[in-house]
Amino acid sequence: MVCKIIIAAFAFACAFGTTGAAPYIPASGAQVLERLPGGAAPVRRDLQRLRTALDANPGNLELATMLAQRYIEQSRRDGDPRYLGYAQAALAPWWSQPQPPPQVAVLRATLRQSTHQFGAALADLDQVLKQDSGNSQAWLTRATVQLITGDFAGARASCMRLYSRAPELVVQTCLSNVGSVSGAASASYERLLQTYAARSDSAPAIRAWVATLLGEMAARLGRGAAADTHFREALALDPSDSYLLAAYADFMLDAGRAGEVVRLLKDKTAADALLLRHAIALKTARMPEAARASAELAARFDAARRRRDSVHQREEARYALALRGDAAAAVRLAKLNWAVQKEPADLRILAEAAVASGDAEARALVRDWLARSRIEDATIAATVARLEGKA
């Protein structure tokens, strides 16, 4: 079977640091950038073919950027950060240049975002945009970084620069993603829903991205039935997307559907973020495999610490709280994570850890962000009510 792949430059701190997933923008819904046979083995063979071609001609800029994009997409799909290293290796001839070619600078920014080097990522993107103010991929990736770090005004301004440069659905998704976490959740959701319905001709990869975000928005608004519908539609479009699987698993865990999470993720635990959700579901469902899954997760986090990898502090904070019951460790990690990124999931684990630990600093951080962002999130609101009750 032949499947159509729209290469997406999802920055994978996306590999579960971020909802801010900036997709590559095709010129139209009909544009196909690569055609691959279905199945994981053919995909790996195709990547190896491209890698062999690049090894023979490492200065081929077009081939290097194509391969780097493909590696980034594979990391997003599999939740495997090794592909991000492969992407950087593909760009090695230009990686250390102060002013690499624009297409390399945008990819370097994407990869730097994935390791939480947000300042360096923005510097790369600003450099590109000084040379080419019409670079829609750079504006979208810039908006993504700004959203992750809580710069809503900057993110909104970057989204606005996409008008006439990107498809309507991409522009509205960018704007609605910002509005949904900065005091305009319901209106942002409705506008995006209308645009999504009107642009059914959009590329499947873009529609899967939008349906996932609609699911998250509906969940934050407390519209459970709508959220479930959106997540299921996204899964029908892209059943292997690791970010989507994690988002849907979180929704089902909140809804008391741990058994369904176990079934959804049982053969998808190579990604740390998915193993975390699987382990929580196993523990919630009181299944005997829970201890083994938790031990495996502990070993992975320990290995990351030995590599001095601090990208997954949000996930480790959740592990410490939900699986180890260590509120002190959870709040410490949640505060370290909060200093770097400020998405709804970051706020949620910070609030939950504050409740469990009684940490005054964490409580103050939560209150401050709620006042500044005006975020609307039913689950976080319930946690904050518990937090205020303990104050």
Side-chain angles (χ1 to χ4, degrees):
M1 178 179 68
V2 175
C3 64
K4 298 180 180 179
I5 302 296
I6 304 293
I7 300 173
F10 265 87
F12 214 57
C14 315
F16 311 116
T18 73
T19 58
Y24 174 81
I25 306 172
S28 73
Q31 182 180 359
V32 178
L33 301 186
E34 191 74 14
R35 294 179 182 271
L36 301 174
V43 170
R44 286 195 293 268
R45 285 198 297 270
D46 197 73
L47 287 171
Q48 183 56 51
R49 176 184 62 78
L50 290 172
R51 178 74 256 182
T52 299
L54 184 62
D55 286 342
N57 189 8
N60 187 320
L61 179 61
E62 181 179 2
L63 184 58
T65 54
M66 176 186 292
L67 180 58
Q69 287 174 333
R70 290 284 304 282
Y71 278 141
I72 291 169
E73 167 65 7
Q74 201 62 35
S75 176
R76 180 187 68 83
R77 293 183 62 80
D78 292 354
D80 187 342
R82 291 177 299 179
Y83 285 107
L84 300 176
Y86 303 156
Q88 181 174 336
L91 302 173
W94 307 275
W95 184 264
S96 298
Q97 292 180 6
Q99 291 189 320
Q103 58 268 53
V104 172
V106 172
L107 289 167
R108 186 169 71 181
T110 300
L111 290 165
R112 283 174 164 173
Q113 177 194 338
S114 75
T115 54
H116 293 184
Q117 299 177 66
F118 296 124
L122 287 173
D124 275 339
L125 296 167
D126 288 346
Q127 174 186 292
V128 169
L129 291 166
K130 284 180 182 177
Q131 302 171 36
D132 177 14
S133 62
N135 190 313
S136 57
Q137 190 68 55
W139 284 118
L140 182 58
T141 306
R142 190 172 188 265
T144 296
V145 176
Q146 290 167 318
L147 181 60
I148 293 168
T149 54
D151 179 6
F152 299 138
R156 192 174 294 108
S158 294
C159 292
M160 293 294 289
R161 299 298 293 266
L162 291 171
Y163 274 111
S164 78
R165 296 185 172 112
E168 178 189 12
L169 182 57
V170 171
V171 178
Q172 189 55 60
T173 303
C174 189
L175 288 167
S176 291
N177 210 18
V178 178
S180 72
V181 294
S182 58
S186 183
S188 297
Y189 171 75
E190 295 297 342
R191 279 195 294 268
L192 183 55
L193 188 60
Q194 291 171 9
T195 307
Y196 180 71
R199 298 314 313 236
S200 59
D201 59 339
S202 298
I206 299 296
R207 288 185 63 79
W209 170 55
V210 176
T212 301
L213 296 179
L214 282 168
E216 292 184 305
M217 291 178 195
R220 288 197 295 270
L221 287 165
R223 304 180 188 182
D228 196 71
T229 297
H230 293 312
F231 284 129
R232 288 181 181 276
E233 182 172 359
L235 280 172
L237 289 163
D238 192 351
S240 301
D241 184 278
S242 292
Y243 180 87
L244 165 59
L245 289 166
Y248 192 31
D250 284 342
F251 168 75
M252 289 195 290
L253 285 169
D254 287 340
R257 296 160 57 184
E260 293 178 61
V261 175
V262 171
R263 292 189 292 275
L264 178 70
L265 301 181
K266 64 179 180 179
D267 56 351
K268 300 178 178 69
T269 56
D272 293 352
L274 297 185
L275 176 60
L276 172 64
R277 274 82 176 171
H278 190 243
I280 292 172
L282 287 168
K283 181 180 179 181
T284 303
R286 298 183 180 181
M287 294 185 176
E289 303 94 326
R292 179 188 55 77
S294 183
E296 182 179 348
L297 196 57
R300 293 190 193 183
F301 284 131
D302 182 61
R305 281 192 298 274
R306 283 188 272 111
R307 295 193 305 269
R308 297 184 179 180
D309 177 359
S310 61
V311 168
H312 301 299
Q313 286 175 329
R314 179 174 77 196
E315 309 299 325
E316 189 174 1
R318 189 171 172 186
Y319 157 76
L321 189 60
L323 295 173
R324 285 176 44 207
D326 188 342
V331 78
R332 176 180 59 81
L333 289 161
K335 288 192 292 185
L336 289 171
N337 174 68
W338 186 252
V340 178
Q341 57 181 28
K342 294 174 173 60
E343 295 187 281
D346 303 302
L347 182 62
R348 177 173 175 174
I349 185 58
L350 183 64
E352 290 175 347
V355 170
S357 67
D359 187 280
E361 182 185 15
R363 184 166 58 244
L365 289 169
V366 171
R367 286 172 173 165
D368 176 66
W369 193 250
L370 288 171
R372 289 173 57 191
S373 68
R374 297 180 295 127
I375 186 172
E376 302 159 74
D377 186 308
T379 303
I380 292 174
T383 303
V384 170
R386 292 166 54 210
L387 186 65
E388 297 301 337
K390 286 193 172 187

